């Protein structure tokens, strides 16, 4: 029992160390990305977002895009959309829209409204038949905000309004 206890404790300590290291790396990436984004907003042409391929970094960028794009309006908003689009955030969100996790798909549907493009509209229209009603509704709202929603009669039919959905 003592050996099992020691092995368990060693495993828990190792898991904790990995978790802390991951959190510190994520905080570093966030600070670096925010600094670069603010410099880019200030029209510093020498700064770009790093082309990192780690999954955690791309998740960080989609989260930052969601937070920052909801806060800014006007020219800064448009410039920020260009920055995130250049970093591939729109493609990540389109991929997330097809994800098995409904919360992730819903967040992607809500955030794609910032990236007005034929690809975004096509992905959101495809999400109108998602298995989860929240994702379908988020896609419909984003399409409406982009002024690309199907006619109301078609939306009522697709979203099952008045039949299965309340």
């Amino acid at each position: 029992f003592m050996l099992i206890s020691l092995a368990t404790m060693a495993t828990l300590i190792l898991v904790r160390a990995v978790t802390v290291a991951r959190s510190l790396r994520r905080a570093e990436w966030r600070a670096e990305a925010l600094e670069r984004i603010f410099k880019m907003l200030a029209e510093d042409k020498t700064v770009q977002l790093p082309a990192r391929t780690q999954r955690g970094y791309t998740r960080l960028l989609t989260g930052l895009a969601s937070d920052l794009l909801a806060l800014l309006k006007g020219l800064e908003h448009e410039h920020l959309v260009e920055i995130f689009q250049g970093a591939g955030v729109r493609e990540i969100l389109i991929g997330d829209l097809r994800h098995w996790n409904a919360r992730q798909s819903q967040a992607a549907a809500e955030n794609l409204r910032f990236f007005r493009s034929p690809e975004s509209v096509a992905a959101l229209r495809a999400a109108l038949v998602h298995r989860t009603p929240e994702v379908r509704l988020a896609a419909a709202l984003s399409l409406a905000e982009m002024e690309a929603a199907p006619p109301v009669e078609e939306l009522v039919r697709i979203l099952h309004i008045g039949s299965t959905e309340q």
Side-chain angles (χ1 to χ4, degrees):
F1 285 119
M2 188 167 67
L3 288 176
I4 293 172
S5 297
L6 285 174
T8 303
M9 286 302 290
T11 302
L12 289 174
I13 290 170
L14 181 64
V15 168
R16 178 69 175 164
V18 168
T19 303
V20 167
R22 190 176 291 160
S23 296
L24 289 173
R25 183 178 67 226
R26 188 169 172 82
E28 271 180 29
W29 285 351
R30 183 177 173 85
E32 176 192 6
L34 281 172
E35 181 180 338
R36 288 174 183 251
I37 288 168
F38 290 138
K39 284 182 180 178
M40 291 170 81
L41 280 174
E43 301 296 328
D44 187 347
K45 302 290 183 197
T46 63
V47 179
Q48 291 184 346
L49 287 174
R52 292 214 173 104
T53 57
Q54 291 106 330
R55 182 144 175 85
Y57 192 74
T58 57
R59 283 285 135 233
L60 174 87
L61 285 180
T62 57
L64 283 175
S66 171
D67 295 343
L68 294 175
L69 289 171
L71 293 175
L72 296 176
K73 298 291 180 210
L75 292 175
E76 289 89 9
H77 178 85
E78 291 174 18
H79 193 83
L80 202 56
V81 167
E82 291 172 8
I83 290 170
F84 284 119
Q85 193 154 326
V89 170
R90 183 189 66 199
E91 289 77 16
I92 294 166
L93 291 173
I94 288 172
D96 285 352
L97 200 53
R98 298 182 203 101
H99 200 271
W100 61 268
N101 184 329
R103 286 181 54 195
Q104 193 167 338
S105 296
Q106 181 180 356
E110 291 169 353
N111 291 317
L112 266 174
R113 70 176 186 230
F114 298 121
F115 299 95
R116 297 171 188 259
S117 70
E119 295 86 6
S120 298
V121 170
L124 288 168
R125 283 184 183 252
L128 288 175
V129 294
H130 194 274
R131 63 178 166 31
T132 308
E134 291 83 10
V135 175
R136 292 193 303 261
L137 183 59
L141 291 172
S142 289
L143 284 169
E145 189 167 321
M146 295 168 79
E147 297 177 357
V152 175
E153 299 84 17
E154 187 178 338
L155 271 179
V156 168
R157 183 183 52 75
I158 290 172
L159 297 176
H160 307 289
I161 296 173
S163 57
T164 58
E165 298 301 329
Q166 296 298 318

